[in-house]
Amino acid sequence: FTWKDPSMAARPYENRDPRFAATIMPNNSTFQGRPVECWEGGADGPDKNNASRTGYYLLKYVDPELKLLQGQSAIHSWIIIRLGEIYLNYAEAMNEAYGPDAKGIYGKSAREAVNEVRGRVGMPDVVADSKEEMREKIRHERRVELAFEDHRFWDICRWMDGDTVKDIYGIKITKKGSKYTYTRTKIQTRVWDKKMYLY
């Protein structure tokens, strides 16, 4: 997820792409009436059993009203395909065939299709001057828009990117008084073999 304003990197949860707050529960967000404490030593910190190792918890697919300790259950609707994916599939194909702005015999350019997805949440239009740059922007947009919807592994296979994205990063959070310090940290290097492209 990117910042609307890149200078906000020192304050990692401010001025984010709105899809961040709809997908992720970061440190000090509120869930079911209490703050999420992802910092070391916090109630949800990495030293606790079954805690997140990345410093983030998933919000997408979670019913915020569900009380598991009271034996409640809920119906989940799993996303199979939706319009955002269709636009991004189209954008990727158009960019590979025609580049960022040409339409060929079709109604939208790759840039216009990506901007449809970004515009829905108030993000600015994508900036890319070449097919290669647009390819990277579309790939990033898929990571954000389709997060946790079972696309990432298959995208990596299709792009043959497995060896370059096998390092998994999280955020180490320390708290001193009421101040938090956030440090990006590698938490895992996953195994990727070429045979995995053939799954």
Side-chain angles (χ1 to χ4, degrees):
F1 293 92
T2 53
W3 286 270
K4 285 185 175 180
D5 174 359
S7 69
M8 302 301 291
R11 299 186 299 278
Y13 309 134
E14 295 179 25
N15 207 30
R16 295 301 296 258
D17 181 319
R19 293 169 290 186
F20 179 85
T23 306
I24 302 293
M25 278 186 277
N27 183 56
N28 215 27
S29 60
T30 301
F31 184 74
Q32 294 195 347
R34 76 164 181 88
V36 178
E37 299 179 356
C38 298
W39 39 276
E40 294 186 342
D44 310 296
D47 55 325
K48 302 297 186 283
N49 285 336
N50 301 316
S52 169
R53 294 173 58 201
T54 64
Y56 299 102
Y57 286 89
L58 183 63
L59 183 59
K60 188 181 275 192
Y61 298 117
V62 173
D63 180 351
E65 305 301 319
L66 188 64
K67 304 285 193 284
L68 291 173
L69 296 178
Q70 296 174 11
Q72 289 183 349
S73 61
I75 294 173
H76 284 280
S77 296
W78 302 106
I79 299 164
I80 305 300
I81 190 168
R82 61 184 179 84
L83 189 57
E85 181 196 350
I86 293 168
Y87 275 119
L88 292 173
N89 291 348
Y90 177 90
E92 186 174 348
M94 287 297 287
N95 186 58
E96 294 304 319
Y98 299 105
D101 296 301
K103 297 181 185 180
I105 61 171
Y106 303 100
K108 287 187 188 299
S109 68
R111 186 185 310 274
E112 289 169 336
V114 173
N115 288 340
E116 288 273 354
V117 176
R118 293 175 63 79
R120 178 182 61 86
V121 294
M123 288 298 285
D125 287 352
V126 69
V127 177
D129 296 324
S130 66
K131 177 190 282 192
E132 293 72 25
E133 196 175 354
M134 180 60 83
R135 181 183 298 134
E136 292 308 309
K137 299 288 180 156
I138 291 168
R139 290 180 180 189
H140 177 76
E141 197 66 22
R142 289 184 68 87
R143 286 184 74 181
V144 173
E145 178 68 20
L146 305 175
F148 303 103
E149 294 180 25
D150 195 30
H151 292 279
R152 182 70 176 151
F153 174 80
W154 306 108
D155 285 347
I156 287 168
C157 285
R158 183 162 46 86
W159 299 328
M160 302 193 81
D161 253 358
D163 207 45
T164 63
V165 296
K166 61 187 180 182
D167 289 338
I168 307 301
Y169 290 86
I171 196 154
K172 178 182 176 184
I173 307 165
T174 54
K175 183 178 181 185
K176 189 171 184 181
S178 62
K179 305 270 186 193
Y180 297 100
T181 303
Y182 300 93
T183 309
R184 184 175 187 255
T185 183
K186 184 164 76 172
I187 58 169
Q188 186 181 42
T189 297
R190 293 185 175 170
V191 173
W192 188 275
D193 293 323
K194 285 186 177 179
K195 64 187 175 186
M196 297 170 78
Y197 289 127
L198 303 177
Y199 280 171

